Amino acid sequence: MKLELITPESEPSRRLRKWRLIQFPQLTMPLIAALTPKDVEIHHTDEIVEAVNFEREVDLVAITCNTPAANHVYRLADEFRRRGRKVVLGGPHVTVLPEEALAHADAVVIGEAETVWSRVVEDFQRGTWQRVYRGKPADLAGIPRARRDLIVGRGYGRGVIIATRGCPNRCDYCSVGNMYGSGQRRRPVQEVAREVATIPGKAVIFWDDHLTANRRYALELFKAIAPYRKWWTTQTTIQVAFDHELLVAAAESGCKAFFIGLESISQGSLNSQGKGFNKVALYEEAVKNLHRYGIAIQAGTMFGLDGDDPGIFERTLKYYREIGIDSATVSIVVPMPETPFFTRLQREGRLLTTNWDKYNGKVDAVFQPKQMTPRELEQGVAWFAKQFYSLPSVFDRLFLKSRVGLWWNMPRNLGYRLALLWRQGVDFDDLTTGSSQLNSREYRPFPK
Ligand code: B12
Ligand code: SF4
């Protein structure tokens, strides 16, 4: 049997990411490959690297699907099916909207693949397969390593790994609870450490949602990976910055940066999303603590929350420069389907569209913000990103305040700057239609 695995990347997303100096690889399909029965012949197409070949002789096509990629994935699936191929879909979007996905697939997998994928393949081979499969939350002990050999051609190495799944917090806009249920599951520390040891090169990224959620586990993990002398980064929450034992262990094991969702400098906005555990009054001290241990902060930053007025962009810029934020991932907040934020906006009649192409968080506002127009939000985010990565801002933040790892932090900032400059040269209305035109588009009611 021949299986085609696809890591999809829609045309707009490909054009935005094409020139990124850092093209992070995805682990999902390489992991599905590792879970596939050994007698199956596998080909993996990563659309950021290679176009999908509809002519390839395959028996089954499996595609992972997140929300902004959903329409694109459906088009791929429709085309494969038109040519007589069988298609199975899974991933975050399919898990929350399986009925919508079923209109484009022969089968869908809700939830995690580990407990169900080999059955899907075997049922397919026997000709007895069903339309809907449900994966249970997987026990992460002993799960196979993702097939890194299937990650080819990305601009950045293959040093991605996952130690945990899920997050004990419940931020209203976040999809992680819908995907993985409540709480967090963890791989045994020694299994993770052994995998880290096999990673070629120096850089390692833990693609976890909240690696330090359980501090005892994190401490054990940091001790276990320290001997490999990697440079690593991960996502976590701001609490880590006030835990000195954890910071020492992280720094000593090679942590160079934490991605931390500061999200907003408006406490009202944070509270409106159930993220009141972020205390804006403590941000400055948190950043100082991280820098003291030589750890940079990449600040997840989103705009458009209910406490955000049109002045939020300028205030955030000024504050980030003052406290020396090393880098930021800047987004328009996206109400991903079936999250509490999505449901609330729907109830309040503030959702402007369910055209998933627009759920990109970069150029389109898909809901009516409380204190500004959708256009003001889109323009404000573009303005903020440009100013944040302007040369005076990079200089202030890195040279005058942070001074952490200038030799790598500086090129990283310049890389983001280049990507932004390139983006400005792109006609965004060509990439998506822009919210100013949303109202003239047909409104597709939310499918139930
Ligand atoms: C690492 C990461 C990234 C990385 C790498 C991209 C990637 N997709 O890996 C970067 C930083 C580039 C990134 C970017 C984005 N990301 Co991201 N990312 C993640 C993160 C933290 C981990 C992904 C991962 O590797 N998981 C581990 C794998 C093994 O798990 P998995 O993908 O869930 O797959 C399991 C099951 O879902 C299922 N499954 C999945 N697909 C399939 C397919 C089949 C056929 C089957 C049978 C099963 C199956 O089986 C797998 C094993 O159990 C997740 C959160 C999370 N914990 O998943 C967010 C997440 C996937 N990202 C998200 C988003 C929104 C984005 C962006 C759109 C952000 C933006 N505005 O630009 C972009 C999209 C880029 C892209 N092309 O994917 C959302 C998606 C929400 C949604 N409803 O779709 C998530 C869930 C974060 C969140 N908090 O909401 N992301
Ligand atoms: S802390 Fe991060 S991963 Fe956890 S629920 Fe909030 S946004 Fe999601």
Short mmCIF file of all heavy atoms in Angstrom, two decimals, residues 24-75:
data_model
loop_
_atom_site.label_atom_id
_atom_site.label_comp_id
_atom_site.label_asym_id
_atom_site.label_seq_id
_atom_site.Cartn_x
_atom_site.Cartn_y
_atom_site.Cartn_z
N PHE A 24 10.33 27.02 10.29
CA PHE A 24 10.26 25.92 11.25
C PHE A 24 9.58 24.70 10.66
O PHE A 24 8.51 24.81 10.09
CB PHE A 24 9.47 26.37 12.47
CG PHE A 24 10.11 27.48 13.23
CD1 PHE A 24 9.51 28.71 13.29
CD2 PHE A 24 11.30 27.28 13.89
CE1 PHE A 24 10.09 29.75 14.00
CE2 PHE A 24 11.89 28.30 14.61
CZ PHE A 24 11.28 29.54 14.66
N PRO A 25 10.17 23.55 10.83
CA PRO A 25 9.51 22.34 10.34
C PRO A 25 8.35 21.91 11.23
O PRO A 25 8.31 22.26 12.41
CB PRO A 25 10.62 21.30 10.36
CG PRO A 25 11.67 21.82 11.25
CD PRO A 25 11.46 23.27 11.45
N GLN A 26 7.44 21.15 10.65
CA GLN A 26 6.32 20.61 11.42
C GLN A 26 6.57 19.13 11.72
O GLN A 26 7.04 18.40 10.88
CB GLN A 26 5.04 20.72 10.61
CG GLN A 26 4.60 22.14 10.38
CD GLN A 26 3.15 22.19 9.94
OE1 GLN A 26 2.37 21.31 10.24
NE2 GLN A 26 2.80 23.23 9.22
N LEU A 27 6.15 18.73 12.90
CA LEU A 27 6.39 17.35 13.32
C LEU A 27 5.22 16.42 13.05
O LEU A 27 5.37 15.20 13.09
CB LEU A 27 6.66 17.32 14.84
CG LEU A 27 8.07 17.60 15.31
CD1 LEU A 27 8.14 17.49 16.82
CD2 LEU A 27 9.06 16.62 14.68
N THR A 28 4.05 16.99 12.79
CA THR A 28 2.84 16.17 12.78
C THR A 28 2.91 14.99 11.80
O THR A 28 2.76 13.84 12.20
CB THR A 28 1.61 17.05 12.45
OG1 THR A 28 1.62 18.15 13.36
CG2 THR A 28 0.32 16.27 12.60
N MET A 29 3.15 15.26 10.52
CA MET A 29 3.12 14.16 9.56
C MET A 29 4.32 13.21 9.73
O MET A 29 4.15 12.00 9.61
CB MET A 29 2.98 14.67 8.12
CG MET A 29 1.64 15.37 7.86
SD MET A 29 0.24 14.68 8.77
CE MET A 29 -0.50 13.62 7.56
N PRO A 30 5.52 13.73 10.06
CA PRO A 30 6.60 12.79 10.38
C PRO A 30 6.26 11.86 11.56
O PRO A 30 6.69 10.71 11.61
CB PRO A 30 7.79 13.71 10.70
CG PRO A 30 7.52 14.93 9.87
CD PRO A 30 6.03 15.11 9.91
N LEU A 31 5.44 12.36 12.50
CA LEU A 31 5.03 11.48 13.61
C LEU A 31 3.99 10.46 13.11
O LEU A 31 4.07 9.27 13.45
CB LEU A 31 4.45 12.30 14.77
CG LEU A 31 3.90 11.47 15.94
CD1 LEU A 31 5.01 10.61 16.57
CD2 LEU A 31 3.28 12.35 17.01
N ILE A 32 3.04 10.92 12.29
CA ILE A 32 2.04 9.97 11.74
C ILE A 32 2.79 8.88 10.95
O ILE A 32 2.42 7.71 11.00
CB ILE A 32 1.04 10.70 10.81
CG1 ILE A 32 0.34 11.85 11.55
CG2 ILE A 32 0.04 9.72 10.18
CD1 ILE A 32 -0.85 11.52 12.35
N ALA A 33 3.84 9.28 10.25
CA ALA A 33 4.63 8.29 9.49
C ALA A 33 5.20 7.24 10.43
O ALA A 33 5.18 6.04 10.14
CB ALA A 33 5.75 8.99 8.73
N ALA A 34 5.70 7.71 11.58
CA ALA A 34 6.29 6.77 12.53
C ALA A 34 5.25 5.83 13.12
O ALA A 34 5.58 4.73 13.58
CB ALA A 34 7.00 7.54 13.64
N LEU A 35 3.98 6.25 13.13
CA LEU A 35 2.91 5.42 13.70
C LEU A 35 2.31 4.46 12.67
O LEU A 35 1.45 3.65 12.99
CB LEU A 35 1.77 6.34 14.22
CG LEU A 35 2.11 7.28 15.37
CD1 LEU A 35 0.98 8.31 15.57
CD2 LEU A 35 2.34 6.50 16.66
N THR A 36 2.74 4.59 11.42
CA THR A 36 2.15 3.81 10.32
C THR A 36 2.74 2.40 10.28
O THR A 36 3.96 2.25 10.47
CB THR A 36 2.44 4.54 8.98
OG1 THR A 36 1.93 5.87 9.08
CG2 THR A 36 1.79 3.83 7.81
N PRO A 37 1.89 1.39 10.06
CA PRO A 37 2.43 0.02 9.96
C PRO A 37 3.59 -0.06 8.97
O PRO A 37 3.57 0.61 7.93
CB PRO A 37 1.22 -0.79 9.48
CG PRO A 37 0.03 -0.02 9.96
CD PRO A 37 0.43 1.43 9.92
N LYS A 38 4.57 -0.88 9.32
CA LYS A 38 5.85 -0.89 8.60
C LYS A 38 5.74 -1.31 7.12
O LYS A 38 6.58 -0.96 6.31
CB LYS A 38 6.85 -1.83 9.30
CG LYS A 38 7.22 -1.38 10.72
CD LYS A 38 8.18 -0.17 10.69
CE LYS A 38 8.33 0.51 12.04
NZ LYS A 38 7.30 1.49 12.40
N ASP A 39 4.69 -2.10 6.78
CA ASP A 39 4.62 -2.58 5.39
C ASP A 39 4.10 -1.51 4.43
O ASP A 39 3.99 -1.74 3.23
CB ASP A 39 3.72 -3.82 5.32
CG ASP A 39 2.31 -3.55 5.83
OD1 ASP A 39 2.16 -2.63 6.67
OD2 ASP A 39 1.36 -4.22 5.39
N VAL A 40 3.78 -0.33 4.94
CA VAL A 40 3.21 0.71 4.08
C VAL A 40 4.33 1.59 3.50
O VAL A 40 5.24 2.01 4.22
CB VAL A 40 2.22 1.59 4.89
CG1 VAL A 40 1.70 2.76 4.05
CG2 VAL A 40 1.08 0.75 5.42
N GLU A 41 4.24 1.85 2.21
CA GLU A 41 5.24 2.72 1.56
C GLU A 41 4.78 4.18 1.71
O GLU A 41 3.65 4.50 1.34
CB GLU A 41 5.31 2.34 0.08
CG GLU A 41 6.52 2.89 -0.63
CD GLU A 41 6.49 2.50 -2.11
OE1 GLU A 41 6.28 1.30 -2.40
OE2 GLU A 41 6.64 3.40 -2.94
N ILE A 42 5.67 5.01 2.24
CA ILE A 42 5.25 6.39 2.59
C ILE A 42 5.97 7.43 1.75
O ILE A 42 7.19 7.36 1.57
CB ILE A 42 5.54 6.67 4.08
CG1 ILE A 42 4.70 5.75 4.96
CG2 ILE A 42 5.24 8.14 4.43
CD1 ILE A 42 4.99 5.89 6.44
N HIS A 43 5.20 8.41 1.28
CA HIS A 43 5.83 9.61 0.71
C HIS A 43 5.27 10.82 1.45
O HIS A 43 4.06 10.88 1.74
CB HIS A 43 5.54 9.74 -0.79
CG HIS A 43 6.20 10.96 -1.37
ND1 HIS A 43 5.56 12.18 -1.46
CD2 HIS A 43 7.45 11.15 -1.84
CE1 HIS A 43 6.41 13.07 -1.98
NE2 HIS A 43 7.56 12.46 -2.23
N HIS A 44 6.13 11.77 1.79
CA HIS A 44 5.68 12.97 2.52
C HIS A 44 5.88 14.20 1.64
O HIS A 44 6.99 14.45 1.18
CB HIS A 44 6.49 13.11 3.83
CG HIS A 44 6.21 14.38 4.58
ND1 HIS A 44 7.19 15.11 5.19
CD2 HIS A 44 5.06 15.05 4.82
CE1 HIS A 44 6.66 16.17 5.78
NE2 HIS A 44 5.36 16.15 5.57
N THR A 45 4.82 14.95 1.43
CA THR A 45 4.95 16.22 0.71
C THR A 45 4.78 17.36 1.70
O THR A 45 3.74 17.47 2.37
CB THR A 45 3.88 16.36 -0.39
OG1 THR A 45 4.01 15.28 -1.30
CG2 THR A 45 4.03 17.69 -1.14
N ASP A 46 5.82 18.19 1.80
CA ASP A 46 5.77 19.36 2.66
C ASP A 46 5.60 20.55 1.71
O ASP A 46 6.53 20.90 0.98
CB ASP A 46 7.09 19.44 3.44
CG ASP A 46 7.18 20.67 4.30
OD1 ASP A 46 6.27 21.51 4.26
OD2 ASP A 46 8.19 20.81 5.02
N GLU A 47 4.43 21.15 1.72
CA GLU A 47 4.12 22.13 0.67
C GLU A 47 4.98 23.39 0.70
O GLU A 47 4.99 24.15 -0.25
CB GLU A 47 2.64 22.53 0.74
CG GLU A 47 1.74 21.60 -0.05
CD GLU A 47 0.41 22.25 -0.34
OE1 GLU A 47 -0.42 22.34 0.60
OE2 GLU A 47 0.17 22.70 -1.47
N ILE A 48 5.68 23.61 1.81
CA ILE A 48 6.54 24.79 1.82
C ILE A 48 7.78 24.52 0.97
O ILE A 48 8.47 25.42 0.52
CB ILE A 48 6.90 25.23 3.25
CG1 ILE A 48 7.11 26.75 3.28
CG2 ILE A 48 8.13 24.54 3.79
CD1 ILE A 48 6.75 27.39 4.57
N VAL A 49 8.02 23.25 0.72
CA VAL A 49 9.21 22.85 -0.02
C VAL A 49 8.87 22.37 -1.43
O VAL A 49 9.61 22.61 -2.38
CB VAL A 49 9.92 21.69 0.74
CG1 VAL A 49 11.16 21.23 0.00
CG2 VAL A 49 10.27 22.10 2.16
N GLU A 50 7.73 21.71 -1.56
CA GLU A 50 7.44 20.98 -2.79
C GLU A 50 5.94 21.06 -3.09
O GLU A 50 5.12 21.00 -2.17
CB GLU A 50 7.87 19.53 -2.52
CG GLU A 50 7.55 18.52 -3.52
CD GLU A 50 7.82 17.08 -3.03
OE1 GLU A 50 8.09 16.82 -1.84
OE2 GLU A 50 7.75 16.22 -3.88
N ALA A 51 5.58 21.18 -4.39
CA ALA A 51 4.16 21.23 -4.76
C ALA A 51 3.55 19.83 -4.66
O ALA A 51 4.24 18.83 -4.86
CB ALA A 51 4.02 21.75 -6.18
N VAL A 52 2.26 19.79 -4.37
CA VAL A 52 1.57 18.50 -4.30
C VAL A 52 1.49 17.91 -5.70
O VAL A 52 1.15 18.61 -6.66
CB VAL A 52 0.14 18.69 -3.73
CG1 VAL A 52 -0.69 17.43 -3.90
CG2 VAL A 52 0.22 19.09 -2.26
N ASN A 53 1.80 16.63 -5.80
CA ASN A 53 1.75 15.95 -7.09
C ASN A 53 0.49 15.07 -7.13
O ASN A 53 0.47 13.99 -6.54
CB ASN A 53 3.02 15.11 -7.27
CG ASN A 53 3.02 14.34 -8.57
OD1 ASN A 53 2.07 14.41 -9.35
ND2 ASN A 53 4.08 13.59 -8.81
N PHE A 54 -0.53 15.56 -7.83
CA PHE A 54 -1.79 14.82 -7.86
C PHE A 54 -1.69 13.56 -8.72
O PHE A 54 -2.56 12.71 -8.68
CB PHE A 54 -2.91 15.72 -8.40
CG PHE A 54 -3.25 16.86 -7.48
CD1 PHE A 54 -2.81 18.15 -7.75
CD2 PHE A 54 -4.00 16.63 -6.33
CE1 PHE A 54 -3.12 19.20 -6.90
CE2 PHE A 54 -4.31 17.68 -5.48
CZ PHE A 54 -3.86 18.97 -5.76
N GLU A 55 -0.63 13.50 -9.52
CA GLU A 55 -0.47 12.35 -10.42
C GLU A 55 0.14 11.14 -9.72
O GLU A 55 0.12 10.05 -10.26
CB GLU A 55 0.50 12.72 -11.58
CG GLU A 55 0.14 13.97 -12.36
CD GLU A 55 -1.06 13.72 -13.24
OE1 GLU A 55 -1.28 12.56 -13.61
OE2 GLU A 55 -1.80 14.69 -13.53
N ARG A 56 0.74 11.38 -8.54
CA ARG A 56 1.45 10.27 -7.88
C ARG A 56 0.52 9.08 -7.66
O ARG A 56 -0.63 9.25 -7.24
CB ARG A 56 2.00 10.76 -6.53
CG ARG A 56 3.10 9.89 -5.97
CD ARG A 56 3.53 10.37 -4.59
NE ARG A 56 4.04 11.72 -4.57
CZ ARG A 56 5.25 12.10 -4.97
NH1 ARG A 56 6.09 11.18 -5.40
NH2 ARG A 56 5.62 13.36 -4.93
N GLU A 57 1.02 7.91 -7.93
CA GLU A 57 0.22 6.68 -7.75
C GLU A 57 0.18 6.35 -6.27
O GLU A 57 1.13 5.81 -5.73
CB GLU A 57 0.86 5.52 -8.53
CG GLU A 57 0.68 5.58 -10.04
CD GLU A 57 -0.80 5.52 -10.44
OE1 GLU A 57 -1.55 4.74 -9.81
OE2 GLU A 57 -1.20 6.25 -11.36
N VAL A 58 -0.90 6.70 -5.60
CA VAL A 58 -1.01 6.38 -4.17
C VAL A 58 -2.38 5.79 -3.89
O VAL A 58 -3.33 6.01 -4.63
CB VAL A 58 -0.80 7.64 -3.28
CG1 VAL A 58 0.62 8.13 -3.35
CG2 VAL A 58 -1.77 8.74 -3.65
N ASP A 59 -2.46 5.03 -2.79
CA ASP A 59 -3.74 4.42 -2.43
C ASP A 59 -4.51 5.31 -1.47
O ASP A 59 -5.72 5.42 -1.53
CB ASP A 59 -3.49 3.06 -1.78
CG ASP A 59 -2.72 2.15 -2.70
OD1 ASP A 59 -3.26 1.82 -3.77
OD2 ASP A 59 -1.55 1.81 -2.39
N LEU A 60 -3.77 5.94 -0.57
CA LEU A 60 -4.43 6.73 0.47
C LEU A 60 -3.67 8.03 0.69
O LEU A 60 -2.43 8.03 0.71
CB LEU A 60 -4.46 5.91 1.78
CG LEU A 60 -5.08 6.57 3.01
CD1 LEU A 60 -6.57 6.87 2.78
CD2 LEU A 60 -4.95 5.65 4.23
N VAL A 61 -4.42 9.12 0.83
CA VAL A 61 -3.81 10.43 1.09
C VAL A 61 -4.26 10.89 2.48
O VAL A 61 -5.45 10.88 2.78
CB VAL A 61 -4.27 11.47 0.04
CG1 VAL A 61 -3.65 12.83 0.32
CG2 VAL A 61 -3.95 11.00 -1.36
N ALA A 62 -3.30 11.27 3.33
CA ALA A 62 -3.63 11.75 4.68
C ALA A 62 -3.10 13.18 4.82
O ALA A 62 -1.94 13.45 4.51
CB ALA A 62 -3.00 10.84 5.73
N ILE A 63 -3.97 14.07 5.27
CA ILE A 63 -3.57 15.49 5.36
C ILE A 63 -3.93 16.01 6.75
O ILE A 63 -5.02 15.75 7.26
CB ILE A 63 -4.29 16.36 4.30
CG1 ILE A 63 -4.34 15.67 2.94
CG2 ILE A 63 -3.64 17.74 4.19
CD1 ILE A 63 -5.07 16.46 1.85
N THR A 64 -3.00 16.77 7.33
CA THR A 64 -3.29 17.43 8.60
C THR A 64 -3.86 18.81 8.29
O THR A 64 -3.54 19.42 7.27
CB THR A 64 -2.04 17.53 9.50
OG1 THR A 64 -2.42 18.12 10.74
CG2 THR A 64 -0.93 18.36 8.86
N CYS A 65 -4.70 19.30 9.19
CA CYS A 65 -5.46 20.51 8.83
C CYS A 65 -5.64 21.43 10.03
O CYS A 65 -6.30 21.06 11.00
CB CYS A 65 -6.81 20.05 8.30
SG CYS A 65 -7.92 21.36 7.84
N ASN A 66 -5.04 22.62 9.96
CA ASN A 66 -5.38 23.64 10.96
C ASN A 66 -6.38 24.61 10.34
O ASN A 66 -6.65 24.54 9.14
CB ASN A 66 -4.12 24.34 11.53
CG ASN A 66 -3.37 25.15 10.48
OD1 ASN A 66 -3.97 25.75 9.58
ND2 ASN A 66 -2.05 25.17 10.58
N THR A 67 -6.92 25.51 11.14
CA THR A 67 -8.04 26.32 10.65
C THR A 67 -7.66 27.22 9.48
O THR A 67 -8.36 27.19 8.45
CB THR A 67 -8.64 27.12 11.83
OG1 THR A 67 -9.15 26.18 12.77
CG2 THR A 67 -9.75 28.06 11.37
N PRO A 68 -6.59 28.03 9.55
CA PRO A 68 -6.34 28.91 8.40
C PRO A 68 -6.04 28.14 7.11
O PRO A 68 -6.19 28.68 6.02
CB PRO A 68 -5.11 29.72 8.81
CG PRO A 68 -4.80 29.38 10.21
CD PRO A 68 -5.64 28.24 10.65
N ALA A 69 -5.64 26.87 7.25
CA ALA A 69 -5.33 26.08 6.05
C ALA A 69 -6.55 25.29 5.56
O ALA A 69 -6.47 24.62 4.53
CB ALA A 69 -4.18 25.11 6.35
N ALA A 70 -7.67 25.36 6.30
CA ALA A 70 -8.77 24.41 6.04
C ALA A 70 -9.28 24.47 4.60
O ALA A 70 -9.41 23.43 3.94
CB ALA A 70 -9.90 24.65 7.03
N ASN A 71 -9.57 25.65 4.08
CA ASN A 71 -10.12 25.72 2.71
C ASN A 71 -9.14 25.14 1.70
O ASN A 71 -9.54 24.45 0.76
CB ASN A 71 -10.45 27.17 2.33
CG ASN A 71 -11.62 27.71 3.14
OD1 ASN A 71 -12.36 26.94 3.74
ND2 ASN A 71 -11.76 29.03 3.18
N HIS A 72 -7.87 25.45 1.92
CA HIS A 72 -6.83 24.91 1.03
C HIS A 72 -6.79 23.38 1.11
O HIS A 72 -6.74 22.70 0.08
CB HIS A 72 -5.49 25.52 1.42
CG HIS A 72 -4.32 24.90 0.76
ND1 HIS A 72 -4.10 25.00 -0.60
CD2 HIS A 72 -3.29 24.14 1.25
CE1 HIS A 72 -2.99 24.33 -0.92
NE2 HIS A 72 -2.49 23.81 0.19
N VAL A 73 -6.84 22.86 2.33
CA VAL A 73 -6.82 21.40 2.51
C VAL A 73 -8.03 20.78 1.82
O VAL A 73 -7.92 19.74 1.15
CB VAL A 73 -6.78 21.05 4.02
CG1 VAL A 73 -7.02 19.57 4.24
CG2 VAL A 73 -5.45 21.47 4.62
N TYR A 74 -9.18 21.42 1.96
CA TYR A 74 -10.40 20.87 1.33
C TYR A 74 -10.24 20.84 -0.20
O TYR A 74 -10.67 19.90 -0.86
CB TYR A 74 -11.63 21.68 1.71
CG TYR A 74 -11.97 21.64 3.19
CD1 TYR A 74 -12.74 22.64 3.79
CD2 TYR A 74 -11.52 20.59 4.00
CE1 TYR A 74 -13.05 22.60 5.14
CE2 TYR A 74 -11.82 20.55 5.36
CZ TYR A 74 -12.59 21.56 5.92
OH TYR A 74 -12.89 21.52 7.26
N ARG A 75 -9.59 21.86 -0.74
CA ARG A 75 -9.40 21.87 -2.21
C ARG A 75 -8.47 20.72 -2.63
O ARG A 75 -8.73 20.05 -3.62
CB ARG A 75 -8.83 23.22 -2.66
CG ARG A 75 -9.90 24.32 -2.80
CD ARG A 75 -9.36 25.57 -3.48
NE ARG A 75 -8.36 26.27 -2.66
CZ ARG A 75 -8.66 27.20 -1.76
NH1 ARG A 75 -9.91 27.56 -1.56
NH2 ARG A 75 -7.70 27.79 -1.07
#
